[in-house]
Amino acid sequence: SWVRLHPEYYIEGNEQQFRNDPSRFTLLEDKNGTPQFLARGRDPFFPAWPDTAQLNLFHAGLRQEFAALIGHVAQYADGLRCDMSMLALNDIFARTWEGFVPAALPIEFWQQAIEAAPDLVWLGEAYWGTETRLHQLGFRFTYDKPFYDFLRAGSAGDLRRHLAGGFGCQQRMARFLENHDDQRAAAVFSPDRIQAAATLAATAPGLRFYCHGQMDGRKIHQPIELARAAEEPADIAMRGLYERLLRLSHEDVFHNGNWRLLETAPAGDASHENLIIYEWRSEKAWKLVAANPTGGAAQGRVALDDANRSSHYLLSDQLNDVDYPRSGDDLACGLYIRLEPGRAHIFEIRPAA
């Protein structure tokens, strides 16, 4: 209704601009029948989105209306996922719409919006290295696209370096294997790769973000404009994997424990560099996650220096239902781990009876 009642809330072009590039504008009429050439929303590096009209985020009245709208939504929702949230940062918005809007305002748009409902879980789809800025403005979580890209490429070294950032930063990231703009996880990660990818996405620090149909192994990409999704039979094995991962990652240690990325040492060759290994610790639980997201077998050793050398331990692989008894010396000196391509372990480590 705003396009007719409050056209001033939108970025508007003129007839000549419309004729020069009709794809960037939508032709409408206001309540008096006067033609309106409303700009379509866009990423500056891609064509405009034809199903959108671009709000003028530098309009004071629009910001007040938007804050009221957010306050209304907060009565019914736990959180908001904000598409392409970095486009609303003042400097990026000013550059994108140069010539249509004045210079950037001193107060950020997101700052005012989030202040209207600070208790909502604000999740931002963000790129271009803007994640920290959005966290500072109040976003609880932002998308971790590099995490997805490195997993998709099977680049363990890049992924390990990415995870080496501080725990506080890691906790603010949303990990995912599917986004509505990308191909579905079951189409990207073959059955012999999905265990490692899904395990890392389910147990890394931060928000674990799943898409509708992902757990059933759906492969047909669904444009969000569709009213009805294509029917696909559920992949029972895929469903079983995700149900197990959801059950395990629901344990308190994966939410409130201390997380630490671990270094791997060689065990005969250089394939240890293909392993991603980290631990979660709390007073009541000790978990060790190991995954091989690459296309080749990998082996290495990881030193668990907290282990008591005089004790014995049982490592229960909760992902694959296998138990491994080990001495404290084995753990402290370097636990040997070998994984085939795309496989993973989630060990529960506890003293042996």
Side-chain angles (χ1 to χ4, degrees), residues 20-50:
N20 291 341
D21 190 354
S23 68
R24 292 181 60 180
F25 299 90
T26 294
L27 176 58
L28 299 172
E29 291 184 351
D30 65 15
K31 57 187 177 182
N32 300 317
T34 303
Q36 295 175 279
F37 304 96
L38 297 187
R40 292 170 171 173
R42 65 187 179 92
D43 176 322
F45 302 105
F46 293 94
W49 298 305

Side-chain angles (χ1 to χ4, degrees), residues 253-265:
V253 66
F254 288 110
H255 297 265
N256 298 310
N258 295 313
W259 175 85
R260 182 169 64 125
L261 182 67
L262 301 175
E263 293 292 330
T264 57

Side-chain angles (χ1 to χ4, degrees), residues 240-306:
L241 170 64
Y242 279 113
E243 286 181 348
R244 177 166 293 209
L245 286 171
L246 283 175
R247 186 171 63 252
L248 291 173
S249 63
H250 186 61
E251 294 182 34
D252 181 74
V253 66
F254 288 110
H255 297 265
N256 298 310
N258 295 313
W259 175 85
R260 182 169 64 125
L261 182 67
L262 301 175
E263 293 292 330
T264 57
D269 55 32
S271 65
H272 67 286
E273 296 178 354
N274 293 334
L275 295 173
I276 305 293
I277 304 177
Y278 48 78
E279 66 175 1
W280 284 94
R281 297 287 298 267
S282 70
E283 291 184 0
K284 297 181 179 180
W286 185 4
K287 306 284 186 175
L288 184 73
V289 178
N292 175 10
T294 73
Q299 62 181 359
R301 293 188 178 276
V302 57
L304 303 176
D305 45 24
D306 290 340

Side-chain angles (χ1 to χ4, degrees), residues 162-190:
H162 181 65
L163 290 173
F167 183 45
C169 177
Q170 300 292 335
Q171 288 181 303
R172 307 289 294 275
M173 308 307 290
R175 320 291 191 179
F176 61 93
L177 298 183
E178 275 191 24
N179 187 28
H180 67 277
D181 291 323
D182 298 304
Q183 294 301 310
R184 309 217 66 164
V188 171
F189 300 96
S190 58

